[in-house]
Amino acid sequence: MTKTGADYAWFENDFPDIAEAYCFTLVRGLSPAELTARLEGRPEAPLRGIDAVVDAAFAQYGLGDGERQLVAMTTVGDRTLLIEPNGYLGVTEDRVLPASAGAHWVSHFVNINAVGTFLWAEDRVLRLCFDPMFPEDRWGTTPDALLDVMERTGFPLDEETPEEDLSAPAAFALAEHLTGIAVTPELLRDTTFACATLRLH
């Protein structure tokens, strides 16, 4: 059964420090080390739990004039999960599409101003991209391939404004539909993440 945005409402409640601004990416076909190399990253010491990752990521912004950002990775099923606190590289097309060669890439991002992006790419081809708050404006080679699923997961595809905005948690549900990987509180809290710093520009 397809999850909905309501199934991911815990994220904002349980992890408010990262819920304000983040990018979550699930990649099939690349290990954490391979993904780090594709993104020209520099390995860093591992960290346990998303709170430690968030603290380290914000500390990183104070170093080197903010030229690099800290990211966390782990293997979940057949995917690498890449988490960027206050980051956006996972939805930056000129970085993502070359890095997705031979891989399946699903990413979603929200910033502190509630601007967001959902991106699905396969082997350097952008399949679908849209702002979760404005899902009627979509682009990519198959922009309408997931309309039924998008509606079930909670994106407002009709004219009416929903009573509750679940667009950000709906992005988690749509990513789970595409990848088969559920992000859970336990995964975020208990995982020892491989970490790296990536250049921002």
Side-chain angles (χ1 to χ4, degrees):
M1 187 174 181
T2 302
K3 297 272 187 72
T4 70
D7 292 308
Y8 278 95
W10 55 265
F11 179 63
E12 186 174 343
N13 295 328
D14 294 0
F15 301 95
D17 289 345
I18 191 171
E20 283 190 342
Y22 60 84
C23 188
F24 276 68
T25 301
L26 286 159
V27 182
R28 186 183 67 220
L30 297 172
S31 68
E34 290 168 334
L35 185 56
T36 299
R38 288 256 180 121
L39 295 173
E40 301 177 7
R42 184 171 65 204
E44 305 288 349
L47 293 166
R48 180 173 173 80
I50 196 63
D51 289 343
V53 170
V54 171
D55 290 345
F58 279 92
Q60 177 66 37
Y61 285 117
L63 305 173
D65 297 322
E67 293 178 358
R68 302 184 73 82
Q69 73 171 41
L70 185 129
V71 302
M73 289 165 287
T74 190
T75 300
V76 187
D78 64 349
R79 306 268 171 167
T80 291
L81 171 64
L82 169 72
I83 302 174
E84 305 171 57
N86 199 33
Y88 54 87
L89 293 180
V91 295
T92 303
E93 290 181 32
D94 62 354
R95 299 287 292 275
V96 167
L97 296 182
S100 72
H104 182 279
W105 188 292
V106 175
S107 186
H108 55 102
F109 145 86
V110 170
N111 71 12
I112 199 164
N113 298 314
V115 175
T117 303
F118 187 97
L119 181 149
W120 166 29
E122 291 186 38
D123 195 16
R124 296 181 288 192
V125 175
L126 181 65
R127 297 286 304 274
L128 171 66
C129 198
F130 65 95
D131 182 333
M133 285 190 70
F134 304 100
E136 68 278 3
D137 183 17
R138 303 175 300 280
W139 60 98
T141 60
T142 55
D144 297 336
L146 297 175
L147 285 181
D148 289 347
V149 179
M150 289 172 65
E151 192 164 11
R152 291 200 304 272
T153 52
F155 292 103
L157 289 169
D158 56 28
E159 297 295 326
E160 294 183 18
T161 301
E163 294 182 10
E164 182 181 7
D165 176 23
L166 290 174
S167 56
F172 279 96
L174 185 58
E176 181 177 344
H177 173 83
L178 277 168
T179 65
I181 301 299
V183 174
T184 65
E186 295 76 19
L187 173 65
L188 297 178
R189 192 169 47 239
D190 301 336
T191 297
T192 298
F193 292 97
C195 294
T197 53
L198 310 178
R199 60 179 177 83
L200 287 172
H201 306 291

